[in-house]
Amino acid sequence: GSLNETGVLNGGVLGGVADIVAAVKASGSDGIIFDYEPKDQPTDEHAQKYANFLTAVKKAAGTSFDVGMDVSGWGILDKFPIYGASHLDIYTSMATTYYAKSAL
């Protein structure tokens, strides 16, 4: 499966948490970073549902590996207080990817 807007909004992605954790453990990776860039519904409710998914992955992973997400300055990716409550290990910013010209 994939992490998509429909699955986040209807909660279907929560059904894939165990598979994600098993795949990361089986790969021997030391972590996973989610890069979810929804185009629609930039609401707090959407951000909270994504945060619920991230929290579920972090809880299932425990200390087995790091869990992180990409944030940015647009859409639901700038709802920092909502994501901070997920207590992820890593928060990376994509802002320079999209706004590099303005940073130069």
Side-chain angles (χ1 to χ4, degrees):
S2 66
L3 179 61
N4 61 50
E5 199 165 328
T6 300
V8 169
L9 291 171
N10 70 19
V13 294
L14 294 171
V17 169
D19 289 339
I20 291 167
V21 170
V24 174
K25 286 181 179 179
S27 75
S29 298
D30 59 3
I32 186 169
I33 296 177
F34 291 95
D35 179 9
Y36 173 62
E37 301 179 33
K39 305 293 183 218
D40 299 317
Q41 301 187 34
T43 63
D44 285 354
E45 179 184 7
H46 189 167
Q48 186 60 62
K49 288 181 177 189
Y50 181 43
N52 292 347
F53 164 74
L54 295 167
T55 301
V57 173
K58 177 60 191 158
K59 182 177 178 181
T63 59
S64 299
F65 57 85
D66 291 338
V67 177
M69 69 170 291
D70 289 333
V71 297
S72 197
W74 55 271
I76 69 165
L77 300 177
D78 64 358
K79 310 288 187 192
F80 308 121
I82 292 173
Y83 300 120
S86 295
H87 302 288
L88 302 180
D89 303 295
I90 302 166
Y91 295 86
T92 60
S93 175
M94 297 185 297
T96 55
T97 300
Y98 294 104
Y99 305 112
K101 289 181 184 176
S102 63
L104 298 177

